[in-house]
Structure formats: structure tokens, C-alpha cells
């Protein structure tokens, strides 16, 4: 999973004047022609830095994203759901693995990335700083957060960096299963008993603001990142992704007889655009800067996991031991 | 008699797999390295899937449907050994349990693949195929962490092995129908399985610095097969059934 809105901060100095103009021109021409950039290829420093930051945040989002849903593995109702929930969360961890290795091709080690995560130096998708109180929250995450992630990831898969694009192609294939699973679980609640319906509606109400935040601040409020668009690092604007998400999923939500907590939400028949109440962007900023309902808890869980696993990693580095790759 | 014996056998195997699969899934998202996180989840999924298949076999024999059986019973109705219900602890304990239990289970299903009860023999053949990878994984890690120079890792593994052993011996607690299962050539029995298991784990441990305690001096943690459990099983079940019990008649 992934939310794109938090990735890009103002670029203070591009450093482009330091780059070899001929190489830079050739690099840009390759991207223009739709070629992929590979790890050994020449690339400007800014490109490398921005990509590391983006892929790293994406990887962090996958492992942190495994936490709210992971707590429902042990509580999933019935064999079918239990197995699917296990497989789904496992996939997310697998996505983190793929993405960390894509980022490593750019020169930052997995250990350094995880250290930066734990120390709060690098970010992850804001949405995982909200709690999953009930089973219904978990189903809403599986359906709609994964749906949002797909919108984002399909766009990014058309970007210019080869290893990231290939990782995203594999990830998107798995995400589409998550979406089906999440949708099926939501439909069961929506068409179930009054208790189930109530549980689902409440979860949807809780997740609506984080979902609207998911794609990041509106374009008019966002930093300008023309160069990243030109280099095919940033593939779609926040508003484009949000519109696409609303267009695909709001009708499906309404079809299930569910409501959304925004009376203004509707599609403008003339413009074809969705109109809505702006979610509270101050809240978004607060949460992204560390002050959300679960930021501290998520990082604490991750930190504890790293500490508890430290002896294993240390033992594997032991000079006398021959490293054996785990089979799975 | 024969049917009772088969049911008793199926229940204890299914319960073991469900509970251990559940426990191992608790590592998802918090494993020591991502690769292990993923591996433990795969094996947990296999175990839960295997338990499901065994409960389905019980359903054919007239028991209630798998979800009802798995998600509505309380601890005294579970036939799993105490070993599987113990908390995951640190990774040392989880690895050692994985090694000791899965080695036993692979041998068990190998025996059962030749069972005179055909449906079980067929399922056992399939399960055996999955378990091979589990024991390969376990053996790799035991050999690795059991022979490293790293003193902390070695001490942890040895301690975990000592703690686990009495519980592991409880896997082989004899049931009420051992004789009839053996006579009918359905299952060769726990005593036989235990001797195969001891040989197998010694073989792996001999390639490490780890030392297995003298099993003749250890009293096994028994009772699980007869519904006597540690204080850890009921809370596990309460958690597992929390959503299901909101409305057991609902479709989830
Ligand atoms: Fe994912
Ligand atoms: Fe996903």
C-alpha cells in the first residue's frame, strides 16, 4: 500500500548546475523516449535522491501497513478469512522486501532505511497512523486503502526507474487480489446482519477522512515538482489520483447501501469531476509530523521488532557461520 | 470403536495444526528479518490450511462444520498438546518449537501416508509434501544458529531447547485408542513415532553445538490430549473467536 501525497517536499537546491550537461541531456532524452533507467546507468544526483526517498517511503508503508491489519490475523472470523488475511498481510511484507531491494540498487542499504524509519527520519503513508478498531476496519483497509494504493502504484509503474517499475508490476498483480478479498469481506458485512452493517458503516465513517488524505494535499496547495514530472518520478498529481479513486469506488460504496460522511460529495455532471468537502488538511499535517493517533505505537512496534530480532541478525553476520539463505 | 479412534486421531492433529499455525502467524510483521517474516507466515498458512482439511474430514464423519468446530469450542474441548499453545516467546523459542514439532509432524504424516484409512492416507501424502519444506527450513536455522560462534545466539538456542523439550515430549502423549489404531493399521502409534522422532532430531542436533537433555530423566508435559491445558490456550481461543462470536450464525 502507499499514499503518494507525502512524498515530495520542496526541492531547495537541485544541484543540476553540478551535473555534466551532455550526460544530463542524454538522460532526459532517454526518459523522453520512454526508456527505463537502470541501476548502472548515469543519473543526476537529484534523481537518485528523490527516488530513494520515494521508494523507501513506499517500502516503509508496506511494513507499517502490515501492522493494523496484522492485528486482525489472529481474530479473522472463520477459516476462509483467517487464511486470506494471513496471505494478504504476508504479501504486504513481501512488497516491503521487493521495494527495499529496489531502493538498495540506488545505494542505500535496507538497514539504513529501517534505522531512518525507526528514528522518525523517514516517513510512511499517513493512513497507517489510524487505528483499526474492529474487523470492519480491517475489511475497509483491505478494500479501499488497497484500492487507493493501486491507483497510485499503477501510475508509478509507468515511471522511469526500471527496478521500481518492475517491482510495482509484481506488486500491482498481488494488490488486485487484495482488492477482491477486501471487497468480498465488505460485501459480506454490507449484506449481513444489522450488527455487521452497523460495524461496517462506522468503520467507513472513520476511514473516510484518512482516505481523502491518502493522495495528499490538493494540487493548488502542493509543492511544484515539474522536474520530477519531467523525469517520470512523479507520474500523476494528487488530485488526479483522488479523482480517479472517487470515480471508481464511490459508486460501488453507494451501491452497497452505505453512506459516506460528506453531504457535499457528488459528481458534477458537467465537468465530470467529483466535488467534495476538503478534508481537514491541518489534521493531515499534524499526523504526518508525528502527532496522529497511532504514530508512536506503530514506530514502537517496529522498534521493538528490530530490537528483538537483533541477535538473529548479529548471529548471521558471525564470521564463522556460513550464511544460508532461508528457503521461503 | 474404529470410528471413534479415527476421530480422536484427527482431532488432535487438527487442533495441533490450528493452534500452532495461529501462534506462528503472530510473527507476521514483527519477524527478525523480512525473509523470515514471510517464511513463518507461509508455514503458518500451511498449518491452518492443513487443520482445515482435517476438520473437513471430521465433518464427513459426522462432526460439525469446520468453522463451528474451530471457532466455538473452549480450551477443555481441544485435544492439542500443550506445546503448541505456548506463547511465541522470542525467536529462539519459536524456531526450536518449529524444529521439534515439524520434525514430529513430518514423520507422523509419513506414517499416515501408508494408513489403511484411505482418505487420511491421501491427505497425509499431500501434507507431507508441504511439511518437507518446513523441516528443511527448520533444519537450516537450527544448524545455523546452533553452530555459530556467536555466544548469545548459542546460549539462547540451548536454553530454548531445554525449555521446549518436556513440552515437545507431550506431543507423544498416548491416546485412548492406540491399540485399535495400530491393529487396524491406521496409525502406528505415538510410542513408535516418538522413537523415530528422537532419532531424527538427534541426527540434526549432532551437527550443531546444541545438546539434547536426557529424555529418560524428563517428565513430559502431558494432559493436552485430554483437554488439560496451560493458562495460555483459553486467551488464544478468546482472541481467535472474538469476531466470529459476535454472531456465529452470520456469514463473515
Ligand atoms: Fe502492498
Ligand atoms: Fe495490499
Amino acid at each position: 500500500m502507499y499514499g503518494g501525497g507525502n512524498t515530495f517536499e520542496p526541492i531547495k537546491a537541485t544541484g543540476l548546475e553540478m551535473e555534466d550537461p551532455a550526460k544530463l541531456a542524454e538522460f532526459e532524452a532517454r526518459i523522453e523516449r520512454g526508456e527505463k533507467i537502470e541501476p548502472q546507468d548515469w543519473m543526476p544526483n537529484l534523481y537518485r535522491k528523490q527516488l530513494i526517498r520515494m521508494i523507501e517511503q513506499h517500502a516503509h508503508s508496506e511494513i507499517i501497513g502490515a501492522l493494523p491489519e496484522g492485528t486482525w490475523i489472529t481474530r479473522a472470523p472463520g477459516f476462509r478469512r483467517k487464511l486470506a488475511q494471513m496471505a494478504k498481510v504476508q504479501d504486504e511484507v513481501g512488497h516491503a522486501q521487493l521495494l527495499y531491494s529496489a531502493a538498495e540498487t540506488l545505494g542505500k542499504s535496507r538497514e539504513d532505511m529501517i534505522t531512518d524509519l525507526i528514528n522518525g527520519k523517514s516517513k510512511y503513508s499517513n493512513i497507517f497512523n489510524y487505528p483499526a478498531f474492529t474487523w470492519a476496519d480491517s475489511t475497509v483497509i483491505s478494500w479501499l486503502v488497497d484500492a487507493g494504493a493501486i491507483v497510485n502504484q499503477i501510475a508509478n509503474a509507468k515511471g522511469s526507474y526500471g527496478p521500481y517499475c518492475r517491482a510495482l508490476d509484481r506488486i500491482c498483480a498481488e494488490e488486485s487480489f487484495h482488492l477482491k478479498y477486501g471487497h468480498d469481506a465488505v460485501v459480506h458485512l454490507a449484506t449481513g446482519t444489522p450488527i455487521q452493517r452497523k460495524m461496517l458503516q462506522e468503520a467507513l465513517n472513520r476511514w473516510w477522512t484518512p482516505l481523502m488524505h491518502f493522495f495528499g494535499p490538493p494540487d493548488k496547495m502542493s509543492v511544484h515538482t515539474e522536474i520530477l514530472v519531467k523525469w517520470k518520478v512523479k507520474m500523476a498529481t494528487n488530485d488526479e489520483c483522488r479523482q480517479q479513486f472517487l470515480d471508481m469506488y464511490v459508486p460501488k460504496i453507494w451501491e452497497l447501501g452505505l453512506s459516506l460522511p460528506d453531504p457535499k460529495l457528488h459528481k458534477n455532471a458537467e465537468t465530470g469531476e467529483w466535488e467534495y468537502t476538503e478534508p481537514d488538511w491541518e489534521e493531515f499535517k499534524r499526523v504526518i509530523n508525528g502527532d496522529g493517533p497511532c504514530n508512536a505505537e506503530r514506530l514502537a512496534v517496529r522498534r521493538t521488532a528490530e530490537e528483538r530480532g537483533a541477535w538473529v541478525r548479529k548471529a548471521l553476520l558471525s564470521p564463522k557461520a556460513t550464511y544460508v539463505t532461508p528457503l521461503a | 470403536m474404529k470410528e471413534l479412534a479415527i476421530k480422536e486421531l484427527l482431532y488432535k492433529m487438527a487442533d495441533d495444526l490450528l493452534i500452532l499455525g495461529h501462534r506462528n502467524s503472530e510473527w507476521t510483521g514483527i519477524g527478525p528479518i523480512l525473509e523470515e517474516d514471510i517464511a513463518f507466515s507461509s508455514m503458518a498458512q500451511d498449518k491452518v490450511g492443513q487443520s482445515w482439511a482435517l476438520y473437513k474430514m471430521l465433518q464427513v464423519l459426522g462432526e460439525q462444520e469446520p468453522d463451528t468446530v474451530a471457532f466455538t469450542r473452549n480450551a477443555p474441548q481441544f485435544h492439542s498438546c500443550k506445546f503448541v499453545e505456548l506463547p511465541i516467546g522470542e525467536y529462539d523459542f519459536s524456531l526450536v518449537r518449529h524444529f521439534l514439532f515439524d520434525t514430529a509432524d513430518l514423520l507422523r504424516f509419513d506414517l499416515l501416508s501408508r494408513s489403511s484409512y484411505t482418505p487420511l492416507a491421501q491427505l497425509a501424502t499431500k501434507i507431507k509434501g508441504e511439511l518437507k519444506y518446513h523441516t528443511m527450513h527448520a533444519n537450516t536455522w537450527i544448524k545455523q544458529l546452533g553452530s555459530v560462534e556467536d555466544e548469545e545466539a548459542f546460549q539462547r538456542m540451548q536454553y530454548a531447547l531445554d525449555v521446549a523439550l518436556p513440552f515437545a515430549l507431550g506431543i507423544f502423549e498416548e491416546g485412548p485408542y492406540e491399540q485399535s489404531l495400530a491393529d487396524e493399521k491406521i496409525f502406528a502409534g505415538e510410542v513408535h513415532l516418538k522413537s523415530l522422532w528422537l532419532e531424527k532430531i538427534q541426527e540434526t542436533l549432532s551437527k550443531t553445538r546444541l545438546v539434547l537433555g536426557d529424555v529418560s530423566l524428563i517428565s513430559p508435559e502431558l494432559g493436552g490430549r485430554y483437554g488439560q491445558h496451560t493458562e495460555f490456550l483459553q486467551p488464544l481461543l478468546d482472541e481467535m473467536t472474538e469476531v466470529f462470536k459476535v454472531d456465529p450464525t452470520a456469514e463473515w
Side-chain angles (χ1 to χ4, degrees):
Chain A
M1 298 172 196
Y2 182 52
N6 56 343
T7 303
F8 301 98
E9 284 159 25
I11 299 167
K12 289 181 198 93
T14 61
L16 285 182
E17 65 284 358
M18 314 281 282
E19 306 287 1
D20 179 334
K23 285 183 177 164
L24 183 60
E26 167 59 12
F27 168 82
E28 291 188 337
R30 288 186 61 196
I31 291 176
E32 177 70 38
R33 289 195 297 270
E35 288 175 31
K36 300 286 182 198
I37 305 300
E38 296 300 332
Q40 307 310 327
D41 296 346
W42 185 90
M43 61 186 83
N45 261 323
L46 180 66
Y47 179 82
R48 185 184 298 276
K49 248 176 66 185
Q50 291 289 330
L51 269 172
I52 291 177
R53 178 208 203 80
M54 176 166 81
I55 303 172
E56 178 181 0
Q57 286 186 10
H58 189 171
H60 295 333
S61 302
E62 302 282 353
I63 41 167
I64 296 289
L67 301 178
E69 284 186 288
T71 59
W72 289 95
I73 289 176
T74 53
R75 292 177 278 178
F79 276 103
R80 210 160 60 98
R81 296 288 179 230
K82 192 173 179 69
L83 281 169
Q85 186 82 2
M86 285 163 102
K88 198 262 182 203
V89 183
Q90 180 196 30
D91 283 350
E92 306 298 1
V93 179
H95 297 170
Q97 188 194 8
L98 270 171
L99 292 162
Y100 282 125
S101 81
E104 281 188 308
T105 63
L106 291 158
K108 185 169 181 181
S109 73
R110 193 200 277 184
E111 292 70 27
D112 286 348
M113 290 186 260
I114 291 180
T115 305
D116 284 351
L117 168 67
I118 290 172
N119 295 336
K121 243 187 92 182
S122 80
K123 304 224 183 301
Y124 54 87
S125 184
N126 221 21
I127 203 156
F128 302 120
N129 287 319
Y130 289 84
F133 290 120
T134 69
W135 169 249
D137 290 303
S138 171
T139 66
V140 168
I141 296 176
S142 291
W143 183 32
L144 295 176
V145 179
D146 279 58
I150 292 177
V151 167
N152 213 284
Q153 289 169 169
I154 285 181
N156 282 350
K158 298 189 197 84
S160 61
Y161 189 58
Y164 186 43
C165 298
R166 290 188 290 273
L168 286 176
D169 285 339
R170 279 180 61 181
I171 289 171
C172 285
E174 290 184 355
E175 297 291 7
S176 66
F177 282 104
H178 301 175
L179 187 73
K180 269 188 210 149
Y181 158 66
H183 184 248
D184 186 65
V186 165
V187 168
H188 273 72
L189 297 182
T191 57
T193 65
I195 295 175
Q196 287 175 308
R197 286 188 63 86
K198 181 164 174 278
M199 195 185 214
L200 177 60
Q201 183 62 60
E202 286 169 357
L204 199 54
N205 294 347
R206 276 195 285 275
W207 285 90
W208 191 244
T209 298
L211 279 165
M212 290 297 283
H213 283 159
F214 185 78
F215 301 97
D219 297 345
K220 58 178 192 292
M221 276 171 64
S222 301
V223 277
H224 293 278
T225 49
E226 284 86 0
I227 190 134
L228 299 179
V229 174
K230 182 171 162 195
W231 287 349
K232 296 186 185 169
V233 172
K234 189 168 173 63
M235 296 303 292
T237 74
N238 297 352
D239 284 336
E240 284 164 1
C241 288
R242 189 163 23 242
Q243 282 293 331
Q244 200 186 332
F245 171 80
L246 293 172
D247 208 39
M248 285 173 79
Y249 295 99
V250 172
K252 291 195 172 81
I253 294 167
W254 284 342
E255 247 167 54
L256 291 171
L258 297 160
S259 65
L260 290 167
D262 178 2
K264 254 183 82 180
L265 182 69
H266 72 283
K267 190 173 182 169
N268 182 324
E270 277 166 35
T271 62
E273 297 275 292
W274 285 83
E275 291 171 6
Y276 46 82
T277 314
E278 282 298 335
D280 182 352
W281 291 109
E282 285 309 309
E283 175 183 333
F284 175 79
K285 275 190 214 155
R286 262 199 321 276
V287 177
I288 213 159
N289 288 317
D291 195 19
C294 298
N295 301 55
E297 182 192 328
R298 299 282 183 252
L299 286 187
V301 170
R302 196 61 247 161
R303 190 176 300 122
T304 307
E306 289 303 311
E307 285 165 6
R308 287 174 70 187
W311 71 271
V312 179
R313 296 190 300 277
K314 181 165 76 90
L316 293 180
L317 291 174
S318 180
K320 290 281 173 67
T322 42
Y323 181 73
V324 183
T325 312
L327 284 161
Chain B
M1 186 67 157
K2 181 177 156 190
E3 191 167 305
L4 270 179
I6 291 174
K7 281 188 187 176
E8 140 80 25
L9 178 66
L10 294 177
Y11 261 116
K12 74 176 175 191
M13 297 192 301
D15 290 351
D16 273 354
L17 288 164
L18 174 63
I19 302 301
L20 188 54
H22 179 98
R23 277 295 185 220
N24 285 346
S25 78
E26 292 176 22
W27 280 109
T28 310
I30 56 166
I33 43 176
L34 294 179
E35 287 72 10
E36 271 307 276
D37 209 304
I38 294 163
F40 248 68
S41 174
S42 287
M43 295 186 290
Q45 288 169 55
D46 281 348
K47 285 191 173 8
V48 172
Q50 290 156 1
S51 77
W52 195 8
L54 289 163
Y55 291 124
K56 282 177 187 163
M57 195 174 284
L58 279 161
Q59 191 184 8
V60 174
L61 295 173
E63 297 297 290
Q64 286 182 288
E65 61 166 353
D67 278 349
T68 309
V69 171
F71 289 81
T72 60
R73 283 178 302 157
N74 283 313
Q77 296 157 294
F78 269 77
H79 301 240
S80 41
C81 59
K82 289 178 180 174
F83 194 26
V84 295
E85 72 211 32
L86 299 177
I88 56 175
E90 294 301 323
Y91 211 62
D92 39 35
F93 178 76
S94 281
L95 271 178
V96 165
R97 173 163 61 185
H98 161 42
F99 165 63
L100 296 175
F101 181 88
D102 287 2
T103 303
D105 236 27
L106 177 57
L107 293 165
R108 182 186 293 278
F109 283 103
D110 182 48
L111 290 173
L112 289 170
S113 68
R114 297 185 291 278
S115 173
S116 65
Y117 183 54
T118 327
L120 182 54
Q122 283 166 351
L123 179 61
T125 305
K126 182 175 170 280
I127 291 179
K128 206 174 95 175
E130 294 173 355
L131 284 174
K132 264 189 203 152
Y133 293 97
H134 299 201
T135 54
M136 244 194 253
H137 177 269
N139 291 343
T140 305
W141 276 91
I142 291 295
K143 282 181 203 158
Q144 177 88 4
L145 293 180
S147 42
V148 282
E149 292 289 304
D150 186 294
E151 207 46 33
E152 183 191 356
F154 173 73
Q155 295 287 349
R156 277 173 170 273
M157 295 302 283
Q158 182 63 58
Y159 181 72
L161 184 61
D162 295 341
V163 171
L165 191 55
F167 285 95
L169 291 169
I171 296 173
F172 312 103
E173 177 173 18
E174 287 175 70
Y177 308 108
E178 298 286 327
Q179 197 55 53
S180 92
L181 287 168
D183 291 346
E184 299 276 355
K185 298 202 173 353
I186 294 167
F187 174 56
E190 300 296 338
V191 175
H192 180 59
L193 178 61
K194 183 171 146 186
S195 69
L196 294 175
W197 173 78
L198 271 172
E199 205 178 302
K200 201 83 190 166
I201 57 167
Q202 285 286 20
E203 188 189 312
T204 306
L205 291 173
S206 69
K207 292 170 190 151
T208 71
R209 295 160 63 204
L210 299 167
V211 180
L212 192 70
D214 183 349
V215 296
S216 65
L217 299 175
I218 294 169
S219 52
E221 290 284 349
L222 302 176
R225 304 301 185 201
Y226 296 88
Q228 293 150 19
H229 293 281
T230 66
E231 73 266 33
F232 300 113
L233 183 58
Q234 191 56 47
L236 179 154
L237 295 173
D238 291 342
E239 184 176 332
M240 187 171 88
T241 60
E242 181 189 307
V243 179
F244 194 82
K245 280 186 175 160
V246 169
D247 188 346
T249 63
E251 295 240 9
W252 292 95

